[in-house]
Amino acid sequence: MTVSEVVAVPGRRFRWTAGLVAGLVGMGLVVLTAIVAPFFLSDAANALTSQANLPPSAEHWLGTDRFGRDMLARSLVSTRLTLIMTVLAIIISVGAGILVGTTIWMAPRRVREAGLRAIDIAVSYPSLLLTLVIAAILGPGTTSAVLAIGVAGIPTFARLTSNLAASVTRNDYVSTARLMGVSPMRVIVRHLLPNMAESLLVLGATSFAIVLVELSGLSFIGLGVQVPDYDFGALLASSLATIYTQPFQLVGPAGMIIITGLSAMLIGDGIAAAVDPKAGARSIPAPGDNAGSRPVRTDVLVDVENLRVRGANGKALVDGISFTVNRGEILGIVGESGSGKSLTAMALAKLLPENLVATAHSLGVDGIDLLGDVAPTTLAKSIGLIYQDPSSTFNPALRVGPQLTEVLRAHLGFTRRSARTRIASGLTAVHLRDPERLMRQHPHQLSGGMRQRAMIASALAADPVLMIADEPTTALDVTVQAEILREFSAINTGRSTGMIFISHDMGVVGALCHRVIVMRSGAIVEELSGDALREGRAQHPYTRQLIAATPRLHAAETIEVTQ
Amino acid sequence: MNDATAMVEVRDLTVRFGAFTALDSLTTTIGRGRTVGLVGESGSGKSTLAKVLVGLVRASSGDVVIGGTSDQTASRAQRTAARRRVQMIPQDPYSSLDPRRTIGQTLAEAADPRRASVAKHADEIVHWLESVRLPPDSIARYPHEFSGGQRQRIAIARALITKPDFVIADEITSALDVSVQAEVLSLIAGLREQLGLTMLFISHDLAVVRDVSDDLVVMRAGTIVEQGLAASIYDEPQHPYTRLLLDSVPGSPGFSLAAK
């Protein structure tokens, strides 16, 4: 029905980005170093020699420390311990975080609320302080550093997982599984974790770098790895003493922290980009060629000839349709999802998404050639737009008034006061009481029907010659729909505003429209009068099939479903 | 429709959320093998009633008796067991199936919530897939390979594989195109006859409800304004609100665009 209903692309391909490849190569080298270096370089890294504090040379590329040990060898050998510690700390944070974050969503509501607040409090406590407190209590050492960093990271991960779990549990398949008697643990393993896996992987990779830096920090300040063991942080700490005399000693450990952290970050970002179906290069189609175009007709209100809308892949979504709307006429466009009815309207309003392009021999409203450059003001004056969902067309944070007057103020040079007066009388015209009070309210204080009336008032404020309404009653209750349809009809009779009314509902279109075009797969299959549609006098088999498929209130017209 | 043949009895059911009364002393009965259409506009309480019937919402007062098990007198275990015999088909075909699980896994989970073994239930799964007019090889496919209408049929198969006593269909066609809706409705009508289903069919669309219901319940603002045989209500609505609802359907004889 609308553009947003285009379903997520199945079986999307994994996208290899340069960053991801660089990250994986970097991390691969680091891991290889961690595995191999201790076998070959342990002697150079650990044996005390008399060649202390040597500057870089062919023999010692990064020089030696004050006990005569090769700094490059030490940096490389320390990779193993650093990586092991980082991975263990992440396992603690992520493991416990996932456990807390998911089980909380399987718990009864009160337990869940209490748990979520507890996590909030834990998150608000600075994790660095938490780390230091835990490390201080456990005493300095490798194990306590890992525990401290791991435990301090739990609240963050619990919070992130519970946010992810919250959005997954909103899906009907989770509540259905629970109603079927699937145990909470099984729901977590079968439904929650697989649907969170990608995001958790991204989080894990990104936090790897943070944990690495935190662990190095603990060792650096002496709370982490103790002599004779050493990691990046400990090496950094020992070379700090000679920073003025032997600054190059810092290069090894600092460089390793940067390479490892950067690789992890690149991998995290790379995975995030790869799993996001919306990311990646959105190809914008070549501008359309309006070859064969002719001047816009002025004897009709809307003049569309051979309109094509195509996507970046060149596929025609609207495939060369032609129609006109007379002044004061209501034209209905009816069709199922994917028929191109909304795109046709969006092309007329020049509101197509940028990855779609429209071409036509003629595309005009009230004599204005829409194929050329049209000033937004001209467009705003000529066309009023009404969308399907009145709850999403308003910004919930702002009051109704300024949103309704925006077009008048932005495009038509109204002052704030005069725009308000104009809108207020418009609101009264669409049977809304107390417009002044209504304009001071926020969108959520209005019912769906009131919001749609307000949108109509706003669209009418500039006194457009054409109103385009895209499924304006689909989200409304049937009694409200009837009222809004009456409103449209009254506006059409009273002001003789021309209308294009888009709907999937044969009954609605038949009741309101003077003339109806039926679309399927981007083409017009039939054009008929509203009366003919109402009485079921359709010629084309597809229109007949649609009419037959529409449930009727009265048994006399039995539905026959053509399979 | 006396008590002996009732599958579901709702007695004086009231549900309050804080100060807000969502359901106000509802009393109704769903007979075995019958389909009750439930219509009402937003805020009428029809979804709340469905949630009480599946056990997602507790009654503030009053009683619900499902298959002879009363919420008031039965133990917690008995209530849970009774609710297992109730299946809900959700509205949104895109959120009702886990994108990471095959159709076979989804149906196997319904057949056996503990083990969910596809191999063990393969025959049963294929049988139900065929009952909803889907090919047997659907068993190894993932939800994204199916259209909205096909997904809704899978959701129907998932509800039926549990051999439920009572099925609640909550707006199951409102997200579908009209021709697809017709297919799903004719499928439901066929299954109803074939299996003797007891069903509560909830919809905001009166014309849709009319096609599948024996009885009709009209709700407004947490109360039942009218209930009885569907055919007689559609022909001769007694309550003014029912009449207003019917007259609001474009194309119905009472519908008019003239200002009221």
Side-chain angles (χ1 to χ4, degrees):
Chain A
M1 282 159 227
T2 56
V3 181
S4 66
E5 271 180 46
V6 178
V7 186
V9 188
R12 58 193 187 234
R13 254 170 0 114
F14 195 87
R15 261 191 313 276
W16 290 96
T17 52
L20 181 57
V21 174
L24 285 174
V25 169
M27 190 52 84
L29 290 175
V30 170
V31 171
L32 193 69
T33 308
I35 295 169
V36 174
F39 293 123
F40 297 103
L41 297 169
S42 280
D43 283 348
N46 300 329
L48 306 184
T49 67
S50 56
Q51 300 171 305
N53 288 331
L54 289 184
S57 64
E59 205 176 331
H60 304 287
W61 288 4
L62 293 177
T64 58
D65 69 359
R66 63 198 153 108
F67 296 108
R69 297 172 295 201
D70 184 73
M71 274 312 285
L72 178 61
R74 281 178 76 76
S75 303
L76 297 179
V77 169
S78 66
T79 309
R80 182 185 281 184
L81 181 63
T82 312
L83 281 197
I84 290 175
M85 287 169 69
T86 310
V87 168
L88 287 178
I90 292 223
I91 288 175
I92 294 173
S93 306
V94 175
I98 289 178
L99 194 68
V100 174
T102 52
T103 45
I104 215 167
W105 280 98
M106 294 294 116
R109 200 171 59 87
R110 281 188 195 166
V111 178
R112 183 171 71 228
E113 288 302 319
L116 287 174
R117 293 298 84 76
I119 293 175
D120 287 345
I121 294 167
V123 167
S124 66
Y125 193 81
S127 68
L128 184 61
L129 276 185
L130 195 61
T131 313
L132 292 177
V133 169
I134 298 172
I137 294 170
L138 294 174
T142 308
T143 322
S144 67
V146 169
L147 277 177
I149 300 278
V151 171
I154 293 174
T156 316
F157 260 92
R159 172 68 166 274
L160 292 170
T161 351
S162 82
N163 287 352
L164 286 173
S167 66
V168 178
T169 47
R170 268 197 289 273
N171 284 300
D172 288 336
Y173 55 80
V174 174
S175 51
T176 306
R178 296 209 66 188
L179 285 173
M180 282 174 170
V182 179
S183 70
M185 275 322 286
R186 289 200 169 88
V187 171
I188 290 174
V189 173
R190 280 182 204 157
H191 299 293
L192 291 193
L193 291 182
N195 283 292
M196 293 160 50
E198 287 171 350
S199 309
L200 287 175
L201 196 62
V202 173
L203 284 174
T206 317
S207 56
F208 187 95
I210 298 165
V211 169
L212 175 78
V213 169
E214 285 178 342
L215 270 172
S216 304
L218 269 195
S219 293
F220 183 75
I221 59 172
L223 285 173
V225 173
Q226 301 297 311
V227 183
D229 295 330
Y230 51 94
D231 64 351
F232 295 160
L235 284 183
L236 207 56
S238 65
S239 38
L240 189 70
T242 55
I243 188 163
Y244 294 115
T245 51
Q246 317 278 342
F248 46 85
Q249 287 187 6
L250 283 166
V251 172
M256 286 307 288
I257 291 177
I258 293 171
I259 292 170
T260 316
L262 196 63
S263 302
M265 283 293 201
L266 286 174
I267 292 175
D269 289 352
I271 299 173
V275 298
D276 182 357
K278 291 188 288 297
R282 261 222 323 208
S283 44
I284 293 181
D289 174 15
N290 295 314
S293 66
R294 59 158 176 78
V296 170
R297 281 168 65 181
T298 48
D299 57 329
V300 289
L301 177 59
V302 176
D303 172 26
V304 174
E305 192 183 302
N306 202 13
L307 170 69
R308 281 174 207 278
V309 177
R310 54 185 175 81
N313 56 5
K315 190 172 169 249
L317 303 166
V318 174
D319 199 6
I321 64 167
S322 307
F323 65 90
T324 56
V325 181
N326 297 317
R327 288 173 206 283
E329 185 185 35
I330 307 181
L331 176 79
I333 305 182
V334 73
E336 298 194 293
S337 6
S339 62
K341 55 189 194 300
S342 289
L343 291 177
T344 302
M346 291 301 110
L348 263 178
K350 298 204 87 157
L351 285 176
L352 280 178
E354 62 177 12
N355 56 343
L356 298 178
V357 68
T359 59
H361 288 170
S362 171
L363 190 67
V365 172
D366 197 24
I368 305 162
D369 187 356
L370 297 176
L371 293 173
D373 283 327
V374 185
T377 309
T378 319
L379 217 51
K381 255 188 213 159
S382 312
I383 303 176
L385 275 172
I386 293 155
Y387 300 96
Q388 171 174 351
D389 187 359
S391 55
S392 70
T393 40
F394 281 103
N395 180 343
L398 302 176
R399 288 175 201 279
V400 174
Q403 303 191 55
L404 293 179
T405 55
E406 192 179 344
V407 172
L408 290 182
R409 288 181 288 120
H411 293 304
L412 302 173
F414 277 70
T415 63
R416 246 174 61 102
R417 183 181 298 271
S418 61
R420 273 188 95 87
T421 322
R422 181 79 168 257
I423 290 290
S425 69
L427 291 171
T428 318
V430 292
H431 303 108
L432 283 167
R433 264 169 273 163
D434 202 352
E436 280 300 331
R437 182 166 156 267
L438 189 138
M439 283 196 280
R440 285 192 302 273
Q441 287 178 315
H442 282 94
H444 71 266
Q445 292 170 291
L446 276 57
S447 71
M450 286 164 81
R451 280 195 289 253
Q452 202 60 300
R453 279 173 199 274
M455 281 313 298
I456 295 173
S458 166
L460 280 176
D463 214 359
V465 284
L466 176 70
M467 269 175 85
I468 300 178
D470 188 2
E471 302 266 9
T473 62
T474 304
L476 303 176
D477 277 329
V478 62
T479 52
V480 183
Q481 165 172 286
E483 290 165 16
I484 296 292
L485 290 179
R486 279 180 207 121
E487 216 62 75
F488 276 112
S489 176
I491 290 162
N492 175 254
T493 340
R495 305 179 174 225
S496 64
T497 311
M499 294 184 189
I500 295 180
F501 191 97
I502 295 155
S503 178
H504 67 285
D505 190 321
M506 306 292 279
V508 168
V509 173
L512 179 71
C513 302
H514 301 129
R515 202 155 49 88
V516 176
I517 58 182
V518 183
M519 287 187 71
R520 180 174 62 171
S521 322
I524 296 177
V525 299
E526 183 169 4
E527 181 181 321
L528 69 171
S529 73
D531 290 336
L533 180 61
R534 207 158 41 240
E535 290 154 16
R537 286 186 281 116
Q539 300 299 318
H540 196 278
Y542 178 69
T543 316
R544 287 162 163 272
Q545 191 188 327
L546 280 183
I547 295 173
T550 306
R552 293 297 173 99
L553 267 185
H554 288 274
E557 305 135 300
T558 47
I559 65 160
E560 14 176 310
V561 181
T562 39
Q563 290 288 332
Chain B
M1 238 203 292
N2 57 44
D3 286 358
T5 63
M7 176 60 75
V8 179
E9 285 173 73
V10 176
R11 295 177 189 151
D12 221 15
L13 174 70
T14 297
V15 172
R16 286 187 204 93
F17 300 118
F20 173 68
T21 306
L23 295 179
D24 193 1
S25 327
L26 247 58
T27 300
T28 189
T29 307
I30 301 174
R32 260 174 222 277
R34 292 188 78 79
T35 294
V36 174
L38 176 57
V39 295
E41 298 190 291
S42 33
S44 62
K46 52 189 198 302
S47 294
T48 308
L49 177 59
K51 283 181 183 160
V52 174
L53 293 176
V54 294
L56 281 173
V57 167
R58 291 292 305 268
S60 304
S61 68
D63 195 10
V64 173
V65 184
I66 296 175
T69 311
S70 157
D71 275 5
Q72 287 289 323
T73 55
S75 69
R76 198 190 167 90
Q78 285 173 317
R79 281 204 308 266
T80 312
R83 289 300 200 278
R84 291 281 153 76
R85 315 288 306 140
V86 180
Q87 282 300 318
M88 169 119 96
I89 307 169
Q91 169 176 3
D92 178 4
Y94 292 96
S95 100
S96 71
L97 301 175
D98 186 336
R100 297 302 175 95
R101 292 175 74 77
T102 63
I103 304 312
Q105 286 173 318
T106 295
L107 292 189
E109 181 175 77
D112 175 8
R114 285 175 65 81
R115 308 206 182 288
S117 155
V118 181
K120 235 174 89 183
H121 297 276
D123 292 343
E124 208 181 341
I125 293 170
V126 169
H127 165 77
W128 283 107
L129 285 174
E130 284 172 344
S131 309
V132 295
R133 301 174 200 162
L134 285 172
D137 67 354
S138 310
I139 195 167
R141 294 171 182 269
Y142 285 91
H144 72 249
E145 299 174 57
F146 295 90
S147 69
Q150 289 172 323
R151 286 173 190 230
Q152 209 55 298
R153 284 189 265 158
I154 294 164
I156 293 170
R158 172 177 56 188
L160 297 181
I161 199 170
T162 65
K163 301 183 184 67
D165 289 338
F166 174 46
V167 178
I168 300 173
D170 187 5
E171 299 271 10
I172 58 168
T173 64
S174 62
L176 306 177
D177 270 335
V178 58
S179 55
V180 182
Q181 164 172 288
E183 279 171 32
V184 170
L185 289 179
S186 89
L187 174 71
I188 288 276
L191 289 170
R192 199 158 68 90
E193 205 157 303
Q194 211 178 313
L195 307 169
L197 293 178
T198 307
M199 188 158 65
L200 181 68
F201 192 95
I202 303 174
S203 179
H204 67 285
D205 187 329
L206 289 98
V208 165
V209 172
R210 190 195 149 272
D211 276 341
V212 291
S213 306
D214 303 307
D215 303 310
L216 184 70
V217 172
V218 182
M219 286 185 69
R220 181 192 200 182
T223 59
I224 293 177
V225 298
E226 184 165 3
Q227 56 183 323
L229 282 173
S232 57
I233 294 183
Y234 277 99
D235 288 341
E236 277 182 72
Q238 299 300 312
H239 195 280
Y241 178 68
T242 315
R243 181 163 290 282
L244 173 68
L245 277 182
L246 291 170
D247 288 348
S248 295
V249 177
S252 72
F255 182 81
S256 154
L257 280 175
K260 293 212 164 171

